[in-house]
Amino acid sequence: MSSIWRCGSFSLSLDRALVMGILNVTPDSFSDGGTYDDPVSALEGGLQLAAQGADIVDVGGESTRPGAAELNGADELARVRPVVERLAQDLSVPVSIDTRHAEVARACVQVGASIVNDVSGFRDPEMVAVVATCDAGVVIMHMLGEPGSMQDEPHYDDVVVQVREYLLDRALTLERAGVARQRIAIDPGIGFGKTLEHNIALLRALPELAAFGYPVLVGVSRKRFIGVLTGTRRPDDRLGGSLASAVWAVEHGAAIARVHDVAQTVQALKVIDALREKA
Ligand code: PMM
């Protein structure tokens, strides 16, 4: 039986891996900060991601790069709401809101967002309440601590076990609050309070995460671990490593790849899909 991810009025088939295109409406994200800093260029950017083949467009208004200060919800909302609203009207694919603030999530769902992507894993009971009272898809991501301090010597006794247990616990909490299982995706949070070794261990353990039955989303695009492995300082010089790790993730059970380079990732995954032996 083929599986689906229910996101508002969308039922996304997971027969092939989905590509979530990243639209950071921020002045300071690590890779594309400043590119889509005004609503007009943000809209154009979102339309372009969809035209390149994105199955989902993920809009974020708060940079969560290591060391970033927390943005208040009102400023974040002012950045993202007009963009989410217009994109939800103009696109035939779902729009996702990347936020950890309940007021932002609530307002964006009201203007058409079909997915709530929370890098803090719905720790805030208000965030749980928002998704319990709508039908949006949810992405539960694991992050150790807060963006401001998460890369200060992160420590785990066993990173795979701890991330796995955290995600399962959060997913069950959402289900108990009334979020249907078919709406939930989980994400190990590559780079969020993790060393190079932690990231590699989690990418190797994707089959164990996928075994829970929730679709697994992985965000590796242009991230620092690729820079460390390959000696590339500038994030936009990391296309090769981004494609290699997205393909790795999908081949090891990820259902959704969150990426900056949509056209190139779509092409890579089409080839992988054609080569894979169908069950
Ligand atoms: N990474 C970033 C932001 N949001 N959301 C999910 N679910 N998973 C991620 O890995 C993730 C995220 C940071 O990267 P960016 O600045 O390129 O968006």
Side-chain angles (χ1 to χ4, degrees), residues 78-116:
R79 279 184 196 167
V80 294
R81 182 165 45 189
V83 178
V84 167
E85 184 166 21
R86 271 296 298 278
L87 285 177
Q89 285 164 7
D90 292 359
L91 295 182
S92 57
V93 298
V95 176
S96 159
I97 176 68
D98 180 349
T99 188
R100 33 195 193 127
H101 295 123
E103 61 183 293
V104 177
R106 187 179 296 110
C108 287
V109 168
Q110 274 165 6
V111 297
S114 299
I115 297 169
V116 177

mmCIF file of all heavy atoms in Angstrom, residues 78-116:
data_model
loop_
_atom_site.group_PDB
_atom_site.id
_atom_site.type_symbol
_atom_site.label_atom_id
_atom_site.label_comp_id
_atom_site.label_asym_id
_atom_site.label_seq_id
_atom_site.Cartn_x
_atom_site.Cartn_y
_atom_site.Cartn_z
ATOM 1 N N ALA A 78 5.511 39.615 10.522
ATOM 2 C CA ALA A 78 5.469 40.676 9.510
ATOM 3 C C ALA A 78 6.276 40.272 8.274
ATOM 4 O O ALA A 78 5.911 40.605 7.142
ATOM 5 C CB ALA A 78 6.015 41.978 10.104
ATOM 6 N N ARG A 79 7.347 39.530 8.461
ATOM 7 C CA ARG A 79 8.156 39.084 7.318
ATOM 8 C C ARG A 79 7.469 37.996 6.514
ATOM 9 O O ARG A 79 7.481 38.006 5.289
ATOM 10 C CB ARG A 79 9.473 38.467 7.826
ATOM 11 C CG ARG A 79 10.531 39.439 8.178
ATOM 12 C CD ARG A 79 11.793 38.659 8.554
ATOM 13 N NE ARG A 79 12.715 39.515 9.255
ATOM 14 C CZ ARG A 79 13.770 39.077 9.909
ATOM 15 N NH1 ARG A 79 14.038 37.781 9.936
ATOM 16 N NH2 ARG A 79 14.577 39.910 10.500
ATOM 17 N N VAL A 80 6.897 37.015 7.235
ATOM 18 C CA VAL A 80 6.482 35.807 6.513
ATOM 19 C C VAL A 80 5.021 35.802 6.064
ATOM 20 O O VAL A 80 4.707 35.203 5.031
ATOM 21 C CB VAL A 80 6.757 34.517 7.325
ATOM 22 C CG1 VAL A 80 8.242 34.295 7.499
ATOM 23 C CG2 VAL A 80 6.043 34.524 8.667
ATOM 24 N N ARG A 81 4.128 36.451 6.819
ATOM 25 C CA ARG A 81 2.712 36.282 6.489
ATOM 26 C C ARG A 81 2.358 36.697 5.054
ATOM 27 O O ARG A 81 1.675 35.949 4.348
ATOM 28 C CB ARG A 81 1.803 36.978 7.501
ATOM 29 C CG ARG A 81 0.338 36.723 7.145
ATOM 30 C CD ARG A 81 -0.670 37.023 8.215
ATOM 31 N NE ARG A 81 -0.451 38.274 8.890
ATOM 32 C CZ ARG A 81 -1.114 38.666 9.971
ATOM 33 N NH1 ARG A 81 -2.038 37.869 10.493
ATOM 34 N NH2 ARG A 81 -0.877 39.801 10.540
ATOM 35 N N PRO A 82 2.788 37.899 4.605
ATOM 36 C CA PRO A 82 2.406 38.271 3.237
ATOM 37 C C PRO A 82 2.938 37.297 2.186
ATOM 38 O O PRO A 82 2.277 37.021 1.188
ATOM 39 C CB PRO A 82 3.020 39.668 3.047
ATOM 40 C CG PRO A 82 3.866 39.942 4.233
ATOM 41 C CD PRO A 82 3.567 38.936 5.289
ATOM 42 N N VAL A 83 4.103 36.744 2.459
ATOM 43 C CA VAL A 83 4.717 35.824 1.494
ATOM 44 C C VAL A 83 3.955 34.494 1.475
ATOM 45 O O VAL A 83 3.611 33.957 0.409
ATOM 46 C CB VAL A 83 6.212 35.607 1.851
ATOM 47 C CG1 VAL A 83 6.858 34.616 0.909
ATOM 48 C CG2 VAL A 83 6.961 36.931 1.848
ATOM 49 N N VAL A 84 3.646 33.980 2.668
ATOM 50 C CA VAL A 84 2.901 32.718 2.754
ATOM 51 C C VAL A 84 1.533 32.877 2.093
ATOM 52 O O VAL A 84 1.088 32.028 1.312
ATOM 53 C CB VAL A 84 2.752 32.279 4.238
ATOM 54 C CG1 VAL A 84 1.732 31.151 4.382
ATOM 55 C CG2 VAL A 84 4.102 31.855 4.799
ATOM 56 N N GLU A 85 0.877 33.994 2.381
ATOM 57 C CA GLU A 85 -0.481 34.194 1.864
ATOM 58 C C GLU A 85 -0.487 34.201 0.336
ATOM 59 O O GLU A 85 -1.279 33.510 -0.302
ATOM 60 C CB GLU A 85 -1.054 35.511 2.419
ATOM 61 C CG GLU A 85 -2.494 35.741 2.007
ATOM 62 C CD GLU A 85 -3.157 36.840 2.821
ATOM 63 O OE1 GLU A 85 -2.427 37.685 3.401
ATOM 64 O OE2 GLU A 85 -4.393 36.853 2.881
ATOM 65 N N ARG A 86 0.419 34.972 -0.240
ATOM 66 C CA ARG A 86 0.453 35.056 -1.712
ATOM 67 C C ARG A 86 0.866 33.732 -2.332
ATOM 68 O O ARG A 86 0.283 33.276 -3.330
ATOM 69 C CB ARG A 86 1.412 36.173 -2.159
ATOM 70 C CG ARG A 86 0.754 37.537 -2.284
ATOM 71 C CD ARG A 86 -0.330 37.581 -3.359
ATOM 72 N NE ARG A 86 0.162 37.318 -4.710
ATOM 73 C CZ ARG A 86 0.732 38.218 -5.497
ATOM 74 N NH1 ARG A 86 0.887 39.458 -5.077
ATOM 75 N NH2 ARG A 86 1.144 37.890 -6.709
ATOM 76 N N LEU A 87 1.866 33.101 -1.760
ATOM 77 C CA LEU A 87 2.326 31.833 -2.350
ATOM 78 C C LEU A 87 1.228 30.772 -2.256
ATOM 79 O O LEU A 87 1.024 29.993 -3.184
ATOM 80 C CB LEU A 87 3.601 31.340 -1.660
ATOM 81 C CG LEU A 87 4.881 32.088 -2.022
ATOM 82 C CD1 LEU A 87 6.061 31.544 -1.225
ATOM 83 C CD2 LEU A 87 5.183 31.983 -3.524
ATOM 84 N N ALA A 88 0.516 30.746 -1.130
ATOM 85 C CA ALA A 88 -0.553 29.744 -0.978
ATOM 86 C C ALA A 88 -1.638 29.962 -2.031
ATOM 87 O O ALA A 88 -2.248 29.004 -2.514
ATOM 88 C CB ALA A 88 -1.141 29.806 0.428
ATOM 89 N N GLN A 89 -1.851 31.220 -2.429
ATOM 90 C CA GLN A 89 -2.847 31.498 -3.480
ATOM 91 C C GLN A 89 -2.317 31.109 -4.860
ATOM 92 O O GLN A 89 -3.039 30.594 -5.704
ATOM 93 C CB GLN A 89 -3.193 32.995 -3.514
ATOM 94 C CG GLN A 89 -4.091 33.440 -2.389
ATOM 95 C CD GLN A 89 -4.096 34.965 -2.218
ATOM 96 O OE1 GLN A 89 -3.525 35.694 -3.035
ATOM 97 N NE2 GLN A 89 -4.721 35.439 -1.168
ATOM 98 N N ASP A 90 -1.033 31.381 -5.078
ATOM 99 C CA ASP A 90 -0.495 31.277 -6.442
ATOM 100 C C ASP A 90 0.074 29.907 -6.788
ATOM 101 O O ASP A 90 0.220 29.584 -7.966
ATOM 102 C CB ASP A 90 0.613 32.323 -6.655
ATOM 103 C CG ASP A 90 0.065 33.747 -6.659
ATOM 104 O OD1 ASP A 90 -1.164 33.888 -6.514
ATOM 105 O OD2 ASP A 90 0.855 34.698 -6.803
ATOM 106 N N LEU A 91 0.434 29.114 -5.786
ATOM 107 C CA LEU A 91 1.111 27.844 -6.075
ATOM 108 C C LEU A 91 0.132 26.675 -6.045
ATOM 109 O O LEU A 91 -0.845 26.699 -5.291
ATOM 110 C CB LEU A 91 2.212 27.573 -5.035
ATOM 111 C CG LEU A 91 3.398 28.530 -5.003
ATOM 112 C CD1 LEU A 91 4.399 28.070 -3.952
ATOM 113 C CD2 LEU A 91 4.066 28.590 -6.375
ATOM 114 N N SER A 92 0.453 25.641 -6.808
ATOM 115 C CA SER A 92 -0.364 24.429 -6.738
ATOM 116 C C SER A 92 0.268 23.398 -5.803
ATOM 117 O O SER A 92 -0.240 22.298 -5.650
ATOM 118 C CB SER A 92 -0.554 23.839 -8.131
ATOM 119 O OG SER A 92 0.713 23.593 -8.692
ATOM 120 N N VAL A 93 1.403 23.748 -5.199
ATOM 121 C CA VAL A 93 2.030 22.851 -4.215
ATOM 122 C C VAL A 93 1.868 23.467 -2.807
ATOM 123 O O VAL A 93 1.678 24.676 -2.686
ATOM 124 C CB VAL A 93 3.541 22.623 -4.522
ATOM 125 C CG1 VAL A 93 3.730 21.949 -5.866
ATOM 126 C CG2 VAL A 93 4.327 23.926 -4.438
ATOM 127 N N PRO A 94 1.952 22.623 -1.768
ATOM 128 C CA PRO A 94 1.766 23.171 -0.416
ATOM 129 C C PRO A 94 2.873 24.131 0.011
ATOM 130 O O PRO A 94 4.034 23.962 -0.362
ATOM 131 C CB PRO A 94 1.757 21.934 0.486
ATOM 132 C CG PRO A 94 2.112 20.775 -0.353
ATOM 133 C CD PRO A 94 2.072 21.161 -1.789
ATOM 134 N N VAL A 95 2.461 25.101 0.821
ATOM 135 C CA VAL A 95 3.411 26.042 1.426
ATOM 136 C C VAL A 95 3.569 25.640 2.890
ATOM 137 O O VAL A 95 2.589 25.338 3.576
ATOM 138 C CB VAL A 95 2.878 27.486 1.327
ATOM 139 C CG1 VAL A 95 3.817 28.460 2.035
ATOM 140 C CG2 VAL A 95 2.688 27.876 -0.129
ATOM 141 N N SER A 96 4.825 25.612 3.323
ATOM 142 C CA SER A 96 5.134 25.232 4.698
ATOM 143 C C SER A 96 5.664 26.466 5.428
ATOM 144 O O SER A 96 6.330 27.306 4.827
ATOM 145 C CB SER A 96 6.196 24.120 4.622
ATOM 146 O OG SER A 96 6.909 23.993 5.814
ATOM 147 N N ILE A 97 5.369 26.572 6.720
ATOM 148 C CA ILE A 97 5.933 27.668 7.515
ATOM 149 C C ILE A 97 6.927 27.079 8.517
ATOM 150 O O ILE A 97 6.585 26.198 9.299
ATOM 151 C CB ILE A 97 4.842 28.526 8.206
ATOM 152 C CG1 ILE A 97 5.476 29.587 9.108
ATOM 153 C CG2 ILE A 97 3.833 27.694 8.995
ATOM 154 C CD1 ILE A 97 6.239 30.674 8.390
ATOM 155 N N ASP A 98 8.162 27.575 8.437
ATOM 156 C CA ASP A 98 9.250 27.122 9.313
ATOM 157 C C ASP A 98 9.299 28.100 10.483
ATOM 158 O O ASP A 98 9.806 29.217 10.352
ATOM 159 C CB ASP A 98 10.548 27.149 8.494
ATOM 160 C CG ASP A 98 11.773 26.690 9.284
ATOM 161 O OD1 ASP A 98 11.681 26.546 10.518
ATOM 162 O OD2 ASP A 98 12.824 26.500 8.653
ATOM 163 N N THR A 99 8.727 27.697 11.612
ATOM 164 C CA THR A 99 8.691 28.603 12.767
ATOM 165 C C THR A 99 8.631 27.815 14.063
ATOM 166 O O THR A 99 8.191 26.680 14.085
ATOM 167 C CB THR A 99 7.474 29.547 12.710
ATOM 168 O OG1 THR A 99 7.591 30.523 13.759
ATOM 169 C CG2 THR A 99 6.142 28.807 12.881
ATOM 170 N N ARG A 100 9.114 28.463 15.156
ATOM 171 C CA ARG A 100 8.913 27.854 16.480
ATOM 172 C C ARG A 100 7.989 28.710 17.323
ATOM 173 O O ARG A 100 7.840 28.483 18.507
ATOM 174 C CB ARG A 100 10.233 27.611 17.195
ATOM 175 C CG ARG A 100 11.301 28.598 16.916
ATOM 176 C CD ARG A 100 12.663 28.142 17.328
ATOM 177 N NE ARG A 100 13.555 29.298 17.301
ATOM 178 C CZ ARG A 100 14.320 29.686 18.284
ATOM 179 N NH1 ARG A 100 14.347 29.007 19.406
ATOM 180 N NH2 ARG A 100 15.077 30.743 18.158
ATOM 181 N N HIS A 101 7.338 29.688 16.697
ATOM 182 C CA HIS A 101 6.455 30.592 17.442
ATOM 183 C C HIS A 101 4.992 30.327 17.109
ATOM 184 O O HIS A 101 4.591 30.384 15.938
ATOM 185 C CB HIS A 101 6.819 32.044 17.128
ATOM 186 C CG HIS A 101 8.198 32.388 17.610
ATOM 187 N ND1 HIS A 101 9.186 32.875 16.788
ATOM 188 C CD2 HIS A 101 8.758 32.261 18.840
ATOM 189 C CE1 HIS A 101 10.288 33.052 17.500
ATOM 190 N NE2 HIS A 101 10.059 32.687 18.743
ATOM 191 N N ALA A 102 4.197 30.088 18.151
ATOM 192 C CA ALA A 102 2.806 29.692 17.944
ATOM 193 C C ALA A 102 2.009 30.771 17.212
ATOM 194 O O ALA A 102 1.188 30.455 16.347
ATOM 195 C CB ALA A 102 2.163 29.374 19.297
ATOM 196 N N GLU A 103 2.255 32.043 17.535
ATOM 197 C CA GLU A 103 1.454 33.085 16.872
ATOM 198 C C GLU A 103 1.751 33.129 15.373
ATOM 199 O O GLU A 103 0.869 33.409 14.556
ATOM 200 C CB GLU A 103 1.706 34.461 17.516
ATOM 201 C CG GLU A 103 3.146 34.930 17.414
ATOM 202 C CD GLU A 103 3.394 36.273 18.117
ATOM 203 O OE1 GLU A 103 2.866 37.302 17.666
ATOM 204 O OE2 GLU A 103 4.135 36.267 19.103
ATOM 205 N N VAL A 104 2.983 32.826 15.012
ATOM 206 C CA VAL A 104 3.353 32.818 13.588
ATOM 207 C C VAL A 104 2.724 31.608 12.895
ATOM 208 O O VAL A 104 2.133 31.724 11.815
ATOM 209 C CB VAL A 104 4.894 32.786 13.439
ATOM 210 C CG1 VAL A 104 5.303 32.701 11.981
ATOM 211 C CG2 VAL A 104 5.514 34.018 14.109
ATOM 212 N N ALA A 105 2.827 30.448 13.539
ATOM 213 C CA ALA A 105 2.254 29.233 12.957
ATOM 214 C C ALA A 105 0.749 29.407 12.754
ATOM 215 O O ALA A 105 0.209 29.124 11.676
ATOM 216 C CB ALA A 105 2.540 28.035 13.863
ATOM 217 N N ARG A 106 0.067 29.907 13.787
ATOM 218 C CA ARG A 106 -1.392 30.043 13.728
ATOM 219 C C ARG A 106 -1.796 30.982 12.588
ATOM 220 O O ARG A 106 -2.638 30.650 11.752
ATOM 221 C CB ARG A 106 -1.925 30.578 15.065
ATOM 222 C CG ARG A 106 -3.441 30.584 15.164
ATOM 223 C CD ARG A 106 -3.944 31.096 16.504
ATOM 224 N NE ARG A 106 -3.560 30.273 17.628
ATOM 225 C CZ ARG A 106 -2.679 30.620 18.573
ATOM 226 N NH1 ARG A 106 -2.097 31.810 18.543
ATOM 227 N NH2 ARG A 106 -2.386 29.802 19.558
ATOM 228 N N ALA A 107 -1.156 32.139 12.534
ATOM 229 C CA ALA A 107 -1.526 33.132 11.517
ATOM 230 C C ALA A 107 -1.207 32.612 10.112
ATOM 231 O O ALA A 107 -1.966 32.857 9.167
ATOM 232 C CB ALA A 107 -0.783 34.441 11.783
ATOM 233 N N CYS A 108 -0.122 31.897 9.961
ATOM 234 C CA CYS A 108 0.248 31.416 8.626
ATOM 235 C C CYS A 108 -0.678 30.296 8.159
ATOM 236 O O CYS A 108 -1.025 30.223 6.984
ATOM 237 C CB CYS A 108 1.714 30.978 8.599
ATOM 238 S SG CYS A 108 2.814 32.406 8.634
ATOM 239 N N VAL A 109 -1.100 29.435 9.078
ATOM 240 C CA VAL A 109 -2.075 28.403 8.704
ATOM 241 C C VAL A 109 -3.376 29.079 8.271
ATOM 242 O O VAL A 109 -4.001 28.692 7.281
ATOM 243 C CB VAL A 109 -2.297 27.410 9.867
ATOM 244 C CG1 VAL A 109 -3.508 26.522 9.611
ATOM 245 C CG2 VAL A 109 -1.050 26.550 10.080
ATOM 246 N N GLN A 110 -3.737 30.148 8.992
ATOM 247 C CA GLN A 110 -4.979 30.858 8.631
ATOM 248 C C GLN A 110 -4.924 31.450 7.225
ATOM 249 O O GLN A 110 -5.931 31.527 6.542
ATOM 250 C CB GLN A 110 -5.276 31.971 9.643
ATOM 251 C CG GLN A 110 -6.035 31.460 10.850
ATOM 252 C CD GLN A 110 -6.017 32.454 12.007
ATOM 253 O OE1 GLN A 110 -5.529 33.579 11.874
ATOM 254 N NE2 GLN A 110 -6.530 32.040 13.156
ATOM 255 N N VAL A 111 -3.743 31.861 6.785
ATOM 256 C CA VAL A 111 -3.662 32.452 5.442
ATOM 257 C C VAL A 111 -3.199 31.432 4.396
ATOM 258 O O VAL A 111 -2.864 31.808 3.277
ATOM 259 C CB VAL A 111 -2.779 33.726 5.395
ATOM 260 C CG1 VAL A 111 -3.371 34.824 6.260
ATOM 261 C CG2 VAL A 111 -1.329 33.437 5.762
ATOM 262 N N GLY A 112 -3.181 30.157 4.751
ATOM 263 C CA GLY A 112 -2.996 29.151 3.702
ATOM 264 C C GLY A 112 -1.829 28.198 3.842
ATOM 265 O O GLY A 112 -1.669 27.316 2.984
ATOM 266 N N ALA A 113 -0.979 28.315 4.865
ATOM 267 C CA ALA A 113 0.115 27.342 5.020
ATOM 268 C C ALA A 113 -0.483 25.952 5.284
ATOM 269 O O ALA A 113 -1.428 25.819 6.061
ATOM 270 C CB ALA A 113 1.033 27.740 6.169
ATOM 271 N N SER A 114 0.084 24.944 4.642
ATOM 272 C CA SER A 114 -0.427 23.574 4.784
ATOM 273 C C SER A 114 0.454 22.707 5.670
ATOM 274 O O SER A 114 0.110 21.554 5.955
ATOM 275 C CB SER A 114 -0.523 22.894 3.413
ATOM 276 O OG SER A 114 -1.398 23.599 2.585
ATOM 277 N N ILE A 115 1.637 23.228 6.048
ATOM 278 C CA ILE A 115 2.576 22.464 6.878
ATOM 279 C C ILE A 115 3.172 23.405 7.912
ATOM 280 O O ILE A 115 3.503 24.562 7.583
ATOM 281 C CB ILE A 115 3.715 21.866 6.015
ATOM 282 C CG1 ILE A 115 3.154 20.873 4.987
ATOM 283 C CG2 ILE A 115 4.791 21.194 6.886
ATOM 284 C CD1 ILE A 115 4.159 20.442 3.922
ATOM 285 N N VAL A 116 3.326 22.919 9.157
ATOM 286 C CA VAL A 116 4.057 23.660 10.186
ATOM 287 C C VAL A 116 5.342 22.879 10.477
ATOM 288 O O VAL A 116 5.295 21.723 10.905
ATOM 289 C CB VAL A 116 3.222 23.832 11.473
ATOM 290 C CG1 VAL A 116 4.049 24.547 12.540
ATOM 291 C CG2 VAL A 116 1.933 24.605 11.183
#
